[in-house]
Amino acid sequence: MAERSVPRTSLKLYFHPFASFCQKVLIALYENATPFEPHIVDLADETSSAEFKKIWPIGKFPVLRDDAKEQTVPESSIIIEYLAQHFPGKVQLVPADPELARQTRLRDRFYDLYVSTPVGKIVTDRLRPAGKSDQHGVEEAKALLRIAYDMIEQEMGAKTWAMGGAFSMADCAASPALYYANKVMPFDHAHRNVAGYFGRLMERPSFARVIKEAQPYLALFPQ
Ligand SMILES: N[C@@H](CCC(=O)N[C@@H](CS)C(=O)NCC(=O)O)C(=O)O
């Protein structure tokens, strides 16, 4: 009797479907249909968290493990660089041209540091115990997010994707960053280009799949 073929892979991804930096890497994997073994980490569960910290003591996900090359690869951008280098596919997530690659990395950093990070500050403040919130820090994060929206508005006037016509690592970073940003500070009439770009990201099959898979966990989002 013929056996059902299971894609063989040396890659394991430690992640949570709801976490934005993990979603960034899932998009990269789905874009190129790169096979991987999913390992969902529940940081709220002592055993799951302790197991994960044996792999990466910093305790932040995503982390990719490549058993064949004996490599443990943390950090979402570094994981995408690793995939682009060792598991290239039809979507070139980091351009071969060094100048275009530098510009891609800049935009990737922009979305991580100036969109995802302030959104994280605003959201995690809602989880602090009563009387322990950091109102000043939250106001600073909101101000930074407003500046980022204005910059994206300028940047995305005539572009389809962050780097122009080709989908890249920068769009992997932008997708979950803008998804959660829109929840904490919805795009308004002054940010039509941001909203338009976000709409295109939401229609991208890789990101649509990521959002669908995150649905069961969306109740975790603190209102
Ligand atoms: N710079 C890291 C950030 C990773 C990160 O902050 N991940 C979050 C989830 S989106 C996390 O692990 N949070 C759990 C914690 O901080 O305890 C990357 O790009 O991978």
Side-chain angles (χ1 to χ4, degrees):
M1 195 165 67
E3 275 182 26
R4 249 181 74 184
S5 72
V6 176
R8 278 169 185 260
T9 176
S10 62
L11 296 180
K12 292 186 182 117
L13 184 70
Y14 295 86
F15 75 108
H16 193 284
F18 176 70
S20 62
F21 286 103
C22 301
Q23 295 179 348
K24 173 178 157 185
V25 166
L26 287 171
I27 295 167
L29 288 161
Y30 294 162
E31 278 293 327
N32 283 320
T34 310
F36 68 98
E37 204 180 279
H39 287 258
I40 294 186
V41 178
D42 180 0
L43 291 177
D45 177 86
E46 247 179 60
T47 314
S48 177
S49 174
E51 283 299 312
F52 176 57
K53 283 179 182 163
K54 283 185 202 158
I55 298 160
W56 182 235
I58 296 293
K60 288 190 186 286
F61 42 36
V63 171
L64 187 78
R65 172 72 194 167
D66 185 346
D67 284 335
K69 294 188 173 61
E70 296 186 6
Q71 292 292 320
T72 298
V73 189
E75 292 294 321
S76 56
S77 306
I78 307 299
I79 295 172
I80 296 176
E81 296 263 6
Y82 187 85
L83 293 172
Q85 190 182 346
H86 297 286
F87 299 86
K90 66 179 187 334
V91 180
Q92 201 175 35
L93 295 165
V94 182
D97 176 81
E99 175 54 25
L100 289 178
R102 182 192 65 77
Q103 291 182 22
T104 303
R105 292 184 181 110
L106 169 62
R107 285 163 179 80
D108 168 76
R109 298 290 70 234
F110 179 90
Y111 281 102
D112 276 12
L113 297 173
Y114 309 126
V115 180
S116 266
T117 301
V119 168
K121 173 69 187 170
I122 296 163
V123 172
T124 55
D125 197 76
R126 297 173 182 173
L127 300 170
R128 288 185 169 202
K132 296 280 183 195
S133 80
D134 171 15
Q135 203 45 42
H136 181 71
V138 169
E139 288 311 319
E140 280 183 339
K142 286 185 176 168
L144 180 58
L145 195 52
R146 266 184 225 108
I147 293 169
Y149 280 9
D150 290 344
M151 291 176 71
I152 300 165
E153 183 66 16
Q154 290 284 320
E155 173 102 359
M156 293 311 296
K159 285 186 189 170
T160 303
W161 305 117
M163 283 298 292
F167 192 91
S168 72
M169 171 166 74
D171 302 296
C172 298
S175 304
L178 291 177
Y179 179 82
Y180 288 110
N182 191 40
K183 284 193 182 295
V184 300
M185 195 191 286
F187 310 134
D188 60 16
H189 58 88
H191 298 116
R192 289 182 205 280
N193 295 335
V194 184
Y197 174 42
F198 178 58
R200 290 189 290 284
L201 292 169
M202 288 291 284
E203 282 173 12
R204 186 93 182 171
S206 58
F207 188 44
R209 177 175 170 189
V210 164
I211 291 302
K212 193 169 171 218
E213 289 172 352
Q215 286 305 313
Y217 305 96
L218 284 182
L220 292 174
F221 191 80
Q223 300 302 323

